[in-house]
Each structure stands twice: as structure tokens, then as C-alpha cells.
Amino acid sequence: MTAEMTRPELGVCYYPEQWPEAQWADDARRMRELGLDWVRVGEFAWSMIEPAPGRFEWDWLDRAIDVLGAAGLKVIMSTPTAAPPRWLVDKHPEILPVGPDGNVRKFGSRRHYCFSSPVFRGEAARIAEAVAERYGTHEHVAAWQIDNEYGDHDTIHSYSPAARDAFRDWLARRYGDIGALNTAWGTSFWSMRYDDFAQIELPNQMVEEPTPTQLTDFLRFSSDQVQSFNRMQAEILRKHAPGRAITHNFMNQNEDFDHHAVGADLDVASWDAYPLGNLVHGRLPEADKQRLLRHGDPDQPGFNHDLYRGVGNGRMWVMEQQPGPVNWADANPAPADGMVRLWTWLAHAHGCEMVSYFRWRQAPFAQEQFHTGLLLPDSTPDRAFAEIEEVVAEAAALPALPPRAPSEVALVLDYPSRWALSALPQGRNFRAGHHALDWYSALRRLGIDVDIVGQHTELNGYRLVVAPDLVMADAGFIKRIAASDTKAIFGPRSGSRTEAMHVTAPLPGAGLAPLIELRVTRVESLPDWHSESFLMGNASHAARRWRETIESDAEVLATFEGAYREGTPALVGNDRARYLATLPGDEGLRHVLEDTLRWAGVDTLPDLGPDLRLTRRGNVTFAFNFGCEPAAAPAPPEATFHLGAARIPPAGVAAWSET
Amino acid sequence: MTAEMTRPELGVCYYPEQWPEAQWADDARRMRELGLDWVRVGEFAWSMIEPAPGRFEWDWLDRAIDVLGAAGLKVIMSTPTAAPPRWLVDKHPEILPVGPDGNVRKFGSRRHYCFSSPVFRGEAARIAEAVAERYGTHEHVAAWQIDNEYGDHDTIHSYSPAARDAFRDWLARRYGDIGALNTAWGTSFWSMRYDDFAQIELPNQMVEEPTPTQLTDFLRFSSDQVQSFNRMQAEILRKHAPGRAITHNFMNQNEDFDHHAVGADLDVASWDAYPLGNLVHGRLPEADKQRLLRHGDPDQPGFNHDLYRGVGNGRMWVMEQQPGPVNWADANPAPADGMVRLWTWLAHAHGCEMVSYFRWRQAPFAQEQFHTGLLLPDSTPDRAFAEIEEVVAEAAALPALPPRAPSEVALVLDYPSRWALSALPQGRNFRAGHHALDWYSALRRLGIDVDIVGQHTELNGYRLVVAPDLVMADAGFIKRIAASDTKAIFGPRSGSRTEAMHVTAPLPGAGLAPLIELRVTRVESLPDWHSESFLMGNASHAARRWRETIESDAEVLATFEGAYREGTPALVGNDRARYLATLPGDEGLRHVLEDTLRWAGVDTLPDLGPDLRLTRRGNVTFAFNFGCEPAAAPAPPEATFHLGAARIPPAGVAAWSET
Amino acid sequence: MTAEMTRPELGVCYYPEQWPEAQWADDARRMRELGLDWVRVGEFAWSMIEPAPGRFEWDWLDRAIDVLGAAGLKVIMSTPTAAPPRWLVDKHPEILPVGPDGNVRKFGSRRHYCFSSPVFRGEAARIAEAVAERYGTHEHVAAWQIDNEYGDHDTIHSYSPAARDAFRDWLARRYGDIGALNTAWGTSFWSMRYDDFAQIELPNQMVEEPTPTQLTDFLRFSSDQVQSFNRMQAEILRKHAPGRAITHNFMNQNEDFDHHAVGADLDVASWDAYPLGNLVHGRLPEADKQRLLRHGDPDQPGFNHDLYRGVGNGRMWVMEQQPGPVNWADANPAPADGMVRLWTWLAHAHGCEMVSYFRWRQAPFAQEQFHTGLLLPDSTPDRAFAEIEEVVAEAAALPALPPRAPSEVALVLDYPSRWALSALPQGRNFRAGHHALDWYSALRRLGIDVDIVGQHTELNGYRLVVAPDLVMADAGFIKRIAASDTKAIFGPRSGSRTEAMHVTAPLPGAGLAPLIELRVTRVESLPDWHSESFLMGNASHAARRWRETIESDAEVLATFEGAYREGTPALVGNDRARYLATLPGDEGLRHVLEDTLRWAGVDTLPDLGPDLRLTRRGNVTFAFNFGCEPAAAPAPPEATFHLGAARIPPAGVAAWSET
Ligand SMILES: [Zn+2]
Ligand SMILES: [Zn+2]
Ligand SMILES: [Zn+2]
């Protein structure tokens, strides 16, 4: 095996500016003794670095980096653009973002900038350049993070004058002349015709919804603004910090910008993993949430590992790993003891190169004082500390593993398709992010490893592409599948809209030609209090929220039951692709996907149940028990266990090689 | 029988500006071949007609009307005021409406005008006059629609400076001097005294609710603005389009303006019928909604037919009939196959002269791309097409029928009373529109045909007036009932407020004198999680949401049960009128109304159950099965069936004459 | 016994300006005949007193007071600052408050002023002085009310320019220099550093939450503004109305300002008692709300009597007692017949000196026309009238009673701690007001009388201090407990934050040293759909919403059960204090408190059940049956009954002395 072999690396987020300098050295020593390799600093330090316009105070940060580096830690330095100083807001109040209610959002927390403000772009470039010049080639600075959590606090969509002007320019570039915009937006519909790009306004505070093309264009524009803002900083860092890995810490669940597009300008994608808050706000029924309250959705972290591994072109870090209770969810339970260890090994198994915990010490002041860390506010170890010690000890015994091999199955997450669904949901309960996680979960219960990809990914090697919601199927992507040996299955609404957010001609589903011929002649969104069913083989399964009437030359593999249009196809397929015309419940989705995997030549395991998950890295199989009861590792009798044993306790991990 | 005999006429809504001109002729031919008589055009065409201030482009519309007319279709032309062009907004931004949050609502959809803007009134008159001059006497233009769906997207109540100024003028006219306003508004209450009409502001963004008289006045004023705006256009049309029927397409469920008052300036009332969205957002318990998901509330369309037949002084059209799934509800299921036929016959049976479907072809672009039509976007027929073919064939076999005869029972819907309830609901769950539909439903389950009327209707012939919520009983109306042979039953809160929105003296209920003597000494609003009961005969029934303690000389016909004030009257009556002091559930309401109908000399049928509905036109009885199981038509053995047979399938229709 | 003995006094709220002068004398006569002693007037009369700037019209009010006084009534005069006239708003629009949405709140109801407006403060002083000069020594004016219901309609927190300026000044005074503010607010956290107080903005419309210290400071500032506004008026009244009792009518449930601080400037605290609306919006599970719909939460009025008795330093009135249905709750049921009598005796038993009913006659106009009074709008008696007659007759037979003796148990309600919880709730379902009422209720079911106190209260005599949510434990208070014989029990989160809203060092709980040594090493907020349990003795009890992991030298008295950290302490205690690490359900809370009362040497009764409550004044024990079934009075066989008998009917009262 030629691939580079790695051991799990660990890190932590640290804010020297928040602690007395006298404490730094001891902190650094304890980090290193714990076994940490990395420390992230600086992402909110602008006002400490530049306390007044043009007056820089580098000394404290120089010393902090020296102390950390001297202790043996590699520093991830950040550009501090997520938190512009008060003096900058005073000087240029027009950098502030404007909410959908038309009100300027005030200084006093973070992310108080509009991506479209040319003034802010200039200031961001200036501070990024200053920091990059200072530390770009510093011996202890081994990587760079740009800004922090794009999209947090709903900050991608700004309705400021700057955003309006930039949107007009973006439209002028996209459409060239106003007639093309009128055609695309369908302004003949309600007398909405424009004579000039200067007449166009942002799509907030309207009498009724704007055209979905206007809305989709605004969502695209807003994503492009993030992409270009990030690229500007990436270019500055490449110039001043050669050879250092550049990353951004993405927020999972945020769909307001194209993570693949931003990832293309990075060396590594990192993401911030907070499984318990995601459970509380997440997709699962209440009974599952109760059972998993302190364990989290078994598929949410894996989904994001697989997503950001793709966003980072194979290189992925967790920049912020939840170490205990957090402060921001509707309810903030604690992880069961053992879960921090489980999440760390899960990340490693999914190909993560480095797991960094947020944060070193719980802050006794400011907004996040209920957010735990590795240390309590009094510097004594909190629970996660001991679990990391355990991970470090175990890591020494585990063989080094190669980068994660490509999976046989690729699941498509296409951000423009999500924007299309957001612009025209058609049903109040249609939540594409939840549905895609349901599909992922069904695959994972069958023991399948999954890559999560965009439409521009190379297909080589995938046996099956799974596209739960590919509304805006890219013609090139469909053609590449058709020209390959890869098979595909599409969820409802796939291939139903053009790039201009029009219905595909002749009918929805046409976007999937030439893979599969399909005419969607009717769609229905269904309320949560109603359920339909479909028949596949002898099994009847629930169909919820969405149902289509389709016509197709392809074979009918499952049919709807009940009084309404009984016998119309629920699942059709030819030898290249399948199309599912509804959203099944868990059981039905597993049935459909199990049959589809078999058809695509992908081996499955018997259902692992709701709480056990397997994944493979190199020749090691990892098993994770998210449940409350012990589980049996599906390992062969002759397996060599590197972690745990055949009986996996709740919140437990096992890892074995087959000999 | 001397009355004019009619057959069902059919039509469709068409937007030539949205399709290539090459397609028009074929569309027109297919409309005619399908059997359609009417086509509505132009209601959103302002910017196509007048692309720049004063520059008119009539040619395309001339040609479109010619093509449609040449094919044999009668054109309903519209004034395009519902969608002012962008250039008008640029020139006069003050025409935009202002929301209750104080923000100007932006251009980009439709209805972006304030009814009170004098500038917009001038522009609306100008464009209406231009269109009327051009097509007023056009041979193919047989009718006119003014504007489109007043009240859609919450646009009746605007909080603009223009609205404020107009409100002050309206108040000055209403009250003459400020002292009269102070008295009416009760400004002695919280030191709210005004010295001048110029001090008065619109009732949004206050610290606490304004006086209910201020609020009621604002609601009245807003309704008057719609009425005068509509009248202005009606007068223009009468001048330029003599002999053509003038209509407006009302939105059912909207209570923000007085539909009777606007109807008085029209020749025909038309309304837009979307039963499934109304079910999803409607009054029924969830179990009923589940059963009726694809059939709709059995009483919602009939209620509106009966309402708008009255609003149109006997002449009523359906301008937009749902042909399949729509795009705007929280969930958008499809009608069961057969429902479009059922709704069409239902309209005819309720006296509708013409049913026009919205829309000819589903648009593949803009806001309503999920709204179905008679054709799919690729011009192939959608399901409704076949059902209309069926209706056309059946209509040929059905005898022509006279206009609908007056019913024996009139239900009162008084818009000012609804505003009074909106200004002072007194309970969060008090939804008068739902309650009135419950009363209507109870009557309809007993086989009763109903007219829905305002307080200015002539009473001649009605055996019973049913007034579920006549808060502001008009003294003239009550006197006319008292002077007639008509009996009446009133729901709780009836006769409880004066026109100044004061409690009637001496006590609530006094507004019903001289019909019935009544003193309401206490009212209670009750939460949904609590239920009371009353005893009528031997039957105990639920009483919900509202309960009154009343004193009356009249006979006690039902009494409350339970620990609180057991034995106080729930229903009282003399030989002229009855008063119900609570809101019963379905069963109790049916008991009360069955007894009341018998008392009034109106014959009832045994309960038809929740899903079967009968109605009569001429000597033909129509039966509609809204349910999911076959139903038996209650026809005599010797009946001659014109439609269907004695066994009515789900979504089925039967019609018979007795020989 | 040397203490002053009192009989219940009664009063009513009256608005002469709302009724014809001809009616006044008859009203006054009937008040007196009913047995009323007091009448409150004038709190909304500003525009009637001063109809134009500087033009006063006293005559009508002179006559009204004379008429009332002549009839034998003592007048409570009010300063009319709760309702500034329209002309004042015209002259100085900047007095209007601004909502959190940034919009100015309009004239047209009441409380439309910003406490921080210097112009309004000047005007308020001017009108208060004018009224005080006119009536300060009037023979019939025996007491004064300042303003009306501070905090009604969310008016404590204004976001106006005046509030912003005053907040900056307040901060400058509090912190002296901006560096101290930066430290306290923790502005190193997200680069939020300030250079000048003039940079600080109000904490609305931010991107994300401000620092909790900024928020807490804003809440403190807003409370201080109320306190100084009230003190300004109190000083004016003391100058012009010597010897008259000064009061303000507090709104229970409002926590937006420090009621203890405002009370310190008053002679008597009064409060407005509306039990049924509080039930509808209150803490109880739905089944209890159903049972108690017309009786109210048995503990809500008692809690407030005990609270405001403390706020008034032992002197407490009810200024507005609900006499029947009200107009402002989500649902407005009627009190069961008998409840007005019950509430009146309840107030007396809890030490209330005077109960005044709101209002004399139901108004047939303006905002509160659904609010009942002692008379119906036609001047006939409503139900409460008869119940007051009954009270007056009973009062004659009851012995005069001394002021209420201090209880053995004091429950702490600390407003700054509530603000801390509001600034950092950490769980969406954490409602401290509800939890404290749960604790009070548990004590009351055990027959315990309770004083409700702030942290500055003297401890002399209390056997037990109960602090359900003392987040910001005052060091002096804790030391005084430690130095006394008083024992204490604290709920979760107690002693966890410093005055700067930082975590106490070394860990949460440190604020309770030196009483009890405690380290909270982890907190969890739990969703409503999840429940934990703890074991105390052999009993297992539910633990909800909040759970802490604690370490302490104290004895472990109860432990958590279940999979997560089984056996960790749920309740710990030493010989001075106890700490409860979760929020139990009713049963568990009663178990904990019963055990704690026994430990503190306080005698308890067997559980009185959910609906029966006892309290003592002098040597008389009162019992109140809030339930729907008769209850047995727990009186000894030889007791002498002053009211009722051993069998207490629903809504009934008993009172006895033991011989
Ligand atoms: Zn600037
Ligand atoms: Zn203008
Ligand atoms: Zn001023």
C-alpha cells in the first residue's frame, strides 16, 4: 500500500487574549502533556491586534505563539475578519449587515459585516495581509484558518445597500441585457418587467414571494459573495504563507453558500462538530431523540465527515469538537461519558486527519460561559480531558492507517438544488437536509460507506450514485454517469428544474435524460398528519410529504397503494438509473436502497439497527455504538481487535482487522 | 315557469403574454373543442400594454383577442390594476403599500399598491380608461373583470402616509367634529382625547391595543377605500363598455372588506374556488382533514357559491376553479380524480352561470410553476381536461335549468360584525368564519338549501334567518324581521354592539329588541382545552369557546349543565326568535338547528352525514359525495336520473328529477 | 398582644371622567351602602385635568372628590403619568418609547412614554406636582397612587435615543473607565472592545446575543430608571401630601424591574390580582388548568400577597381585585360563584389591609368593555356585588386581627437573579417564575406560611430560607445566614454568578460559601420531552429541565438514578444549608422540602392536596378550598368557627380559632 499512513492528530482552540499571560506557559505544557499536537488561535483577535486604525500590537501575540510553539504545539493561525473592531464600525457604519426586516444589525457580538461591502472587503484584505505578513512563515505556524464559521447567525444574506448594488452588478454580468433577465425571471407573469438592472431590488419585504428565479439568483449571488471573499483571503495567505495548509471551519447544516465552491480554494476542509445540539434541533422523531439525548443522531457526524472530506478534496479536519454541554441549543444536555472518545474515533475512522476540541478552558465570562471545554473555569480537567487521554493511549496501540479509500457509493449534495428547494419548497414540511440525512442513514444501517459529493466530482469507481434531491441536475453530470459504469438512484424532484429555475421541458424529470426517461405529470406535497403507502414486492411502506405521478418507459419496481391512483409507479428503473417518486419512512427507504445496492453490485450487511454504525479505514473496521444497550460487533471470530471487543458497551467503540 | 333556463357554461384563464404568439391559435382551437365558452385575459398585463409611461402597445393584445374571438370564445377582459409596472413605482414610489410593521412593501410580485394613494387612483383610472376605450365595445369582449382578488396577500390594510391622510379625512366626514369622535372612541378612558383630526394616527405599532372603535373605524375605512376604488373602475367600464357584464373575482375567506358593498357595483359576482388549500388551513378537526384531504371540506365551496350568489344579486360565476394541485397552501395535495367534475356540477347546482378554470396551461416559470392547469407545461392534457370533457358531454343530456330559486333559509354574513369581532375577539380561539361555516354545515347535513345574505337583503319568503354572529345587528334589519313572517335564530354575541362599537344599552343582546328581549349579564371565552355542556331535551351536548349567562322573558329551550351556573339558559326563544348562548359542537348545533327549522316550518331530511350534500335547482336534485365510501342517493324509487345513479361513488355526482 | 388590630377594609376603582356627573352621587352612595371604605381615582385623567399645555381644569375633579368624600369614602388619588396627553406627544414626540424592533410605539392607548426621556421626566414631575399641590392635603384624599402598573405592555425596556444616552451615562457612572467595562463585559471574547462609553449601543437588533453582562447591565439600568422615576414622584408627594400613604399598584409576574427597590420608596405596596388570566397563561399542567379554570392557581394569589407584603415592609393592599371575567387573557372564563369572596378573605388572611375591586361599573366603550365590574354597564349589580355584601356581613362577625406575624420560612425572590436568568437562560424551557411558584406551592401544601423576601431582608426569626433560583447570591446575605441560626436550602444555579455576570470562582456554587462548599462541575438543560429521576430514601422522583453534576463536602441526601452518572448527588447538605441540583416535579419537591423543613425545625402538616390551602393571621386559621369537591377543614374538634364550618364547599372559606 503506497498511501501515506496516519495516526490521529489532536488539537484545541485557545484564546490567549482571554487569559492572563502568566497562565499561557502552563496551559501550553498541559496541552502537550495531554497529547495534543495542534492549537488554533486568533480568529477573534482583530481589536487586540489592531486596537486603533493602523496601530498594531503584535507583541502579545508573538509571545503567545512562541510559548505555544516552544511547548511543541503546531499553531493554526486565523485571519480575524469574523469580528471587526468597534472603531471600524464607527468609521464605516456601512459595513454592517442588514436583516430581512430592513434593519441594520448592530455591533456587539460577531459576524457584523456584509460580504458585499467594498469597504469591508478592503479592510478584511488589509488585516488579513497584515497578519499573514507577520506570521506567514513563522516556524510555529503550520496552518491557517480563514475567518470563522461563514453563515453563523444567518449572516450570508444581507439586505444592505451594498448588497443591492452588488446584486445588480452580478445580475448585469450574468444576464448581459435586461431582456435576458426578464425572460429568465418570467416577468411577463405579473407585469414585473424591468427596463434596467438599476430597478432591481433585493427580495425582502415584498407583498408576495418574488419570482423563484429572482430568489434563486439572490441565493446564488450571496454564495458567490462568500466564495470571492474567501478566495481573496486565500490568495493573500498563499502569497505570504507558502506551504501552510489553508482551511475554513464550516458549519454543518448551513446551506446558505456552496461549501464545495469555497472548499475548492482551500487545502483542507474543516468543520465544527456539535452533535447534541443537532440532535435537539434535528430530524429524528421524539422517541429517538429521547433515547439518543446524550449520544446524538448516529448519522449526523458521519454525514458531515463524509461531506467535508469531499469538500476538502480528501483532506478533512474537525476544527471544533463538542467536549461537553454547549450553550446555544434549545436544550443543552451533556454527552454521555465516553461520547467524546467515540466522536474522536469516529472522525478518525471517517478519514479525519485532526480533531481539535473547542475549547481549552471554559470561559467564566461573555456569551459562551455555559460552553464547556477540556478544563473547567478553575483549570481542573473536565470529563473530556480524561477521554482524550484514553484516545491518546489507544492511538499508540492502533496501527497507522492510510487515507480513507473512495467508497462504492456516492451521495450527491448539490447546494444550488437546495437553494431551488428553498426558493420553491411547495410544502411547508419539505426539509431537504433532513431527507438527505434519512437516505444517508438508510445506507449506513446497511453497513455501506458513503462519499458525499457535488455534481462536479469524478465518478471513477463509484458503483452507485445516490441523489436524494438533485433538483437542478447538471447535464454534464448526468451525461458522465450515463457514459460510465456507475448506476444511479434519484429521489423525487430530481431533474425537475433548469438553471433558470424553470420547469424542465417537456416535463419535470427531463433533467435526468439521457439516463432515464421520465415524465412527472403531477406532484403533491402532503401534510405531516397524512400518510400514503406504496407496495414493493410484498411489503407495504409509508410514503410521506411528497408524492408524484410519473410516466416512464422504465420498469415499475414499486407502486402506490390506496384510493388515489392505486398502482401508479412509486419506483421505476432501467439498467442505468432508478427514480423514486416519494419520500418513504425509514423502513421503506431501507428496502428501496437495499434492493438498489444489490442491483448496483454493492454488498450490504443485514440491518445494523438504529444505533450501531460501521465504517472502514484501511483494513480496519470500526464499530460505534450510539445506543443505550450493549451491541455485538459484527466481526468474524478470527478478528484482531485494536480497540474494544466483540461486546461494545453503550457509547463504546470497537476496531478490528480481519486476518 | 317563466324564468330563463340555462346550461352550464365553462371558461378558462389565459395569458397570451406568457406564450409565443404562434401558440395562440392552437390554444384557442383546443379550448373551443374542449367545449369552453369563455376566456379571461389581461388582469396582469399592464406593463405589456403600457411598457413606458404613456406609450401603449395594443397590437399584441388586439391580435390575441381576435384569435380567441375568432375561435368562438367570449372574452372576459380585465383592468390590469392589480400589477402596476415597475416604471410607475419608480416615478411614484409613494403608491406602494406599507405593512403593519411600518415598512414599505416592495415591487416584485403583485398588489403592490395602496388603495388610498391618490396618485395610484389617478393612474388606475387612466389605465382602466385606456383599456376600456380600446376594448369596451369590442365584438369579442363580452364581460369585464375589475382588478384581481382584492385582499390577496393582506393588502387591504395599508399603513402608508396616504392611508393616514385619507383616514383622517374619512373620520372628519364621519364625525364632523372631534368631540363626536372622542365620544365614540371613548377617549376619556385612558386620557386619549384628541383636539384635531390631524392628530390621529393609524392603529399599528401602538403600546397596547387602540380603542376598538378606532380599530373598527380603520377596518370600515379600509373597506370603503376598496369600495370606492372598485366603483371608480366600474363607472369607467359602464361608460365605455355598455351592456357588458362587470365582475370582480372575490377571494373567499377574506373578510377585510365588505363583499356585499363591492358587489352592489357589479353585475355578476365571481369568486375563486380552491377547496383543497382551504381544507388544509380550515376549520375541520384533523381526522376529518385526513379523510377529506383530496376532496375538501364538503361545505366550503357550497357556502361560497351561496354567498357570492347573494353578493352578485343572484348572478354568480366561478372565475378560477382549482383544476389540480395548487402552489400556495402549507401542503398541496391533488384533488381525487373526479373532483373537478364534482366541483363543476356543484357550482351549477348552486346557481353558478359559468365556471372558469385557472389556468389553461401550467406555467414552467415564475411564482406559480407548481400551480396546475388544464394542460401540463408541455401542452398535453392534465387530468382536469378529461373531467371537463365529461362535464360537457353530460351537460348536453341534462335539462336546462332556471336560475336558483330563493331558499327558505337565509344565513347572515355581516362584514361589519366580523370587523367588530376582529377588533375585540375576547378569546384567542374565536374564529367567526369557522363558526359560521359550522352553522352552515349543520343546515346542509339536514338537506337544507341556504341563501347567504347581508343585513340589507329583502326578507320576502324566508321562513328562517340564521345569524351565527350578528354582533352589530342593524335596527332596520331587526325591525323588518319583526314585521315579517320570518323567524330568526341568533348565535352568541349577536346584538351586543352598537355601530360605535359600544355595548348595546342596557346590556348586550339589546340589539335584538324588538324581536326578542335579552340581557347578557356575563360572557366567557373558554380555552380549547376546556369544554362545557348543555342539555336540550334529554340530550347533552358540548359547548365550546364561548358561554354567556343570559336573562330573558323568552322560553328556555336548553340549559347549561355542570358545576357552574347549572340550569341557566343555553337556548331561549319566543314565537319570533331564538338566541343561542354558546358555540355547540357539530352534534349539538344540528340538534338546535333541526329543532329550530321544525319550529320555523322548514322541512328537513334525516342527517345526511358528514360527506353527502344535496341541493336543488329547478326541479332537479343534485347529490354530491365528498366522502371516500359510496353513498346512497336519497332519491325516490321513481326518480329520473340525469347524472349518475342511486349509488354515488366517492367523488361522484347524481342528479335526478322526481316525476 | 400590643399589635394594631384590623378589620378588612374594602375599596373600588372609579373613573368619574367616564360617567355623567349626574351619576356620581348615586354611585358614591351605593359604594358606601355596599360597605366600601376606599375609592381610587385619577390615574388616567391627565388630559381631562390639563386639556392643553398649562391650562388646568380642576373643577370637575374637585367636585368628584367632594361627592365621594361627602358620601364617606376615603379617596386614593393618583398621579396621571401613565397616560400622557396627545398634545404632549405632539409637542415632544421624543417621549415615546421605542420597541426592540427599533420602531417608535405610537400614541393611542397608555404607557406611551420612555422612562429615560428627560423631557418626559420633567413633564411627569410638573403634572405630579400640580396634582399633589391641588389635593395633597385635601381632607378626603387619604392616600396616593403613583402612576399605574409599571411594566404593563412591556414598557420597561425602551430602545430610544434617550434610553441609549441614559444607558451610556449609567455605564460611565457604574464603571468609571471604559477598561473596567471591557473587563466586566469580557470584550476580549469576540473583539468587542470599546474605547469610549459613547460607542455603546442598546442590546437590540444585534447579529447574535450581546454579552450577558451587557444585557444584565441593560436590565439593571432599566430597573434603575423605573426606581428613580418613581422616587421623583414619591418625593413630590411627600412634600405636598404629608401623612398620606403613598403606594404603587404592582403587576404580579412582571420581573422587569426590582419591586423591592421601588417598594422601598413607598409606604404601602399594592398589587393587582387577576387570578384567572394568570391560570390560563400560567405554570400548571393542562389537567390542573381544566379543573381550576374558574378557581385559579391556588398558590398564585397567596404568593403575591406574601411577596408584596414584603415589598411594602409589612403593609400591603390589593388595588385591583378581579371581580368577574376580564378582557386580556387568551381565554377569559368567569370566576366560580364564591371566588370573589374567597379571594377577598384570602387577601385578609395573608395580611392585606385593604382590597379594592377593579372596577365599579363595567365600561360599555373603549378597550376594556369586556372587563367586568361590581355593576353591569346598566348599573345593576353583577355577581361580585353580592359576594362583597357577604364579606361585609361576615367581617362584622370576625374578630379584628393583628398584622400578620413573620413566618418561620422565607422564600427569596431576587430580581437581579431573575435578570441573570433572562440574560442567560441556557434552556428554552427554563422559566424561573414558574419554578419559584412550584417551590412555594410545595411549602403551602405542607401547611407552611411563607414570607417572600429580597436579599436585604433581616433574618431574625426565620428558621429556614428557601432560595429556588438565587443565581447572584449576595455575599452579605450569605454571610448573615451563616452568622445566624437560620438554615437555608438553595435551588440549582444558586450562587453561580458574580455581580458582573461572570461564573463564580473557582466554580459555580462558590457564591454560597461560606454556608456550603459546592463545586458545580457540569450543568445540563433538558428538553420538556425528556425526564430524569433521583432517589431520595426509597422514593424515586422526576427531575426535569435542569440537572447539575456537583461535588461537595456536604452529606449526600439524594442521588440521581439512570444511565448517566448514576449516584451523583441530587441533594446535598451540611448542618447549615442544603443544595438541590435539579428541578423536581411536584412530588419530589414536596419530599425534599418536607425533609428540609423537619431538619430546620419547622412543623408541617400532612399534604393538604392540590386544592386546599391554610394560612394564619393572629390566632385565626383560615382555610380556602380552591377545588371542585368539598374539603374537610383540618380544625381540631374544639375549634370555634368564625367563617364557614368543618366541611368547606368548593370555592368556600373557613376560619377558626383554637380555644
Ligand atoms: Zn465608510
Ligand atoms: Zn409621486
Ligand atoms: Zn421635545
Side-chain angles (χ1 to χ4, degrees), chain A residues 290-635:
Chain A
Q290 284 169 345
R291 187 179 77 253
L292 298 167
L293 183 75
R294 291 194 177 86
H295 299 185
D297 183 333
D299 293 302
Q300 188 269 343
F303 181 96
N304 285 287
H305 290 314
D306 295 343
L307 167 62
Y308 291 105
R309 198 177 61 241
V311 167
N313 294 300
R315 295 196 61 194
M316 181 260 295
W317 295 347
V318 171
M319 190 61 85
E320 303 184 5
Q321 172 62 54
Q322 169 170 17
V326 299
N327 64 304
W328 48 263
D330 286 352
N332 295 293
D337 293 339
M339 285 307 296
V340 173
R341 168 178 172 260
L342 183 153
W343 289 323
T344 305
W345 283 118
L346 184 78
H348 184 63
H350 278 265
C352 180
E353 299 176 3
M354 191 271 289
V355 175
S356 164
Y357 303 91
F358 185 87
R359 48 190 279 152
W360 173 243
R361 185 188 296 105
Q362 186 172 356
F365 52 80
Q367 280 92 334
E368 296 181 346
Q369 49 190 269
F370 275 113
H371 197 301
T372 50
L374 304 190
L375 302 184
L376 289 162
D378 69 348
S379 296
T380 57
D382 201 346
R383 167 76 202 182
F385 199 94
E387 298 192 20
I388 295 169
E389 290 178 320
E390 196 174 349
V391 167
V392 169
E394 290 168 336
L398 194 79
L401 293 175
R404 177 100 161 188
S407 307
E408 293 181 307
V409 176
L411 185 146
V412 185
L413 195 175
D414 178 55
Y415 289 92
S417 291
R418 293 285 171 90
W419 304 333
L421 291 168
S422 156
L424 261 192
Q426 177 65 2
R428 190 177 274 264
N429 60 1
F430 198 96
R431 303 192 61 180
H434 289 183
H435 303 157
L437 195 47
D438 290 341
W439 285 58
Y440 177 85
S441 181
L443 293 167
R444 300 283 297 127
R445 282 180 69 157
L446 298 168
I448 303 302
D449 281 321
V450 178
D451 290 347
I452 298 182
V453 302
Q455 294 202 67
H456 300 290
T457 309
E458 290 302 315
L459 293 173
N460 41 327
Y462 290 127
R463 290 183 185 271
L464 181 67
V465 163
V466 174
D469 56 8
L470 194 65
V471 175
M472 285 195 176
D474 176 76
F477 181 57
I478 300 300
K479 274 184 207 145
R480 277 189 290 128
I481 299 176
S484 74
D485 291 334
T486 303
K487 296 185 188 302
I489 179 167
F490 298 93
R493 311 185 71 160
S494 293
S496 65
R497 289 299 181 278
T498 69
E499 207 199 337
M501 195 61 194
H502 293 193
V503 175
T504 53
L507 285 178
L512 303 182
L515 258 189
I516 183 167
E517 187 276 329
L518 191 72
R519 295 163 42 89
V520 179
T521 60
R522 174 160 289 186
V523 301
E524 297 185 278
S525 56
L526 301 170
D528 281 333
W529 36 264
H530 177 85
S531 188
E532 308 262 297
S533 66
F534 68 97
L535 193 68
M536 183 163 176
N538 294 322
S540 175
H541 299 293
R544 309 160 311 159
R545 294 178 195 155
W546 194 266
R547 176 177 169 179
E548 296 176 352
T549 302
I550 60 175
E551 298 172 6
S552 174
D553 296 343
E555 188 183 354
V556 175
L557 304 170
T559 54
F560 287 107
E561 299 180 296
Y564 180 69
R565 299 193 171 181
E566 174 146 36
T568 53
L571 177 68
V572 296
N574 56 27
D575 60 346
R576 311 306 322 277
R578 291 179 168 192
Y579 184 88
L580 181 60
T582 188
L583 295 168
D586 284 356
E587 208 187 353
L589 202 45
R590 207 156 57 244
H591 189 172
V592 167
L593 289 173
E594 185 167 26
D595 186 81
T596 301
L597 288 160
R598 193 177 309 122
W599 161 70
V602 180
D603 291 337
T604 63
L605 296 181
D607 179 20
L608 294 168
D611 297 336
L612 183 66
R613 291 295 179 274
L614 296 192
T615 198
R616 294 143 202 97
R617 182 168 176 180
N619 65 350
V620 174
T621 300
F622 289 81
F624 302 92
N625 182 4
F626 287 88
C628 300
E629 303 299 326

Side-chain angles (χ1 to χ4, degrees), chain C residues 112-236:
Chain C
H112 39 276
Y113 69 81
C114 173
F115 281 97
S116 294
S117 162
V119 171
F120 184 68
R121 290 197 168 223
E123 290 289 315
R126 193 182 55 77
I127 189 69
E129 186 125 26
V131 180
E133 282 178 354
R134 184 85 186 176
Y135 301 114
T137 57
H138 192 291
E139 58 172 329
H140 297 315
V141 175
W144 284 82
Q145 175 183 301
I146 299 174
D147 201 278
N148 185 73
E149 290 189 344
Y150 294 140
D152 199 11
H153 317 309
D154 288 327
T155 48
I156 300 302
H157 305 127
S158 172
Y159 300 87
S160 68
R164 183 201 57 205
D165 293 347
F167 184 45
R168 290 172 179 173
D169 289 350
W170 184 94
L171 290 168
R173 285 195 304 277
R174 180 178 180 86
Y175 290 106
D177 73 74
I178 196 70
L181 177 143
N182 280 314
T183 302
W185 288 18
T187 57
S188 63
F189 199 70
W190 284 342
S191 210
M192 300 173 291
R193 205 168 71 90
Y194 296 95
D195 299 312
D196 196 293
F197 290 102
Q199 291 173 318
I200 289 166
E201 301 191 70
L202 297 174
N204 61 325
Q205 302 187 314
M206 308 184 76
V207 172
E208 170 57 330
E209 287 294 302
T211 75
T213 313
Q214 178 175 2
L215 205 41
T216 307
D217 276 350
F218 178 68
L219 300 177
R220 278 189 183 118
F221 154 77
S222 299
S223 176
D224 284 358
Q225 296 298 87
V226 178
Q227 186 186 359
S228 62
F229 179 83
N230 181 75
R231 177 175 292 168
M232 174 194 75
Q233 293 207 36
E235 286 169 356
I236 289 167

Side-chain angles (χ1 to χ4, degrees), chain A residues 191 199 204 497 524-525 529, chain B residues 47 90 106 290 332 334 364 369:
Chain A
S191 210
Q199 290 173 317
N204 61 325
R497 289 299 181 278
E524 297 185 278
S525 56
W529 36 264
Chain B
S47 75
D90 288 338
K106 290 182 178 174
Q290 284 169 345
N332 295 293
Q369 49 189 270

Side-chain angles (χ1 to χ4, degrees), chain A residues 228-261:
Chain A
S228 63
F229 179 84
N230 182 74
R231 177 175 292 168
M232 174 194 75
Q233 293 206 35
E235 286 169 357
I236 289 167
L237 292 174
R238 291 209 192 288
K239 187 171 65 178
H240 295 291
R244 269 67 174 183
I246 299 173
T247 192
H248 170 76
N249 58 331
F250 292 91
M251 280 187 67
N252 69 87
Q253 252 75 6
N254 181 291
E255 302 176 358
D256 291 345
F257 66 97
D258 189 329
H259 294 207
H260 290 113

Side-chain angles (χ1 to χ4, degrees), chain A residues 88 90-95 119:
Chain A
L88 179 53
D90 288 338
K91 210 171 150 192
H92 297 294
E94 74 272 22
I95 71 169
V119 171

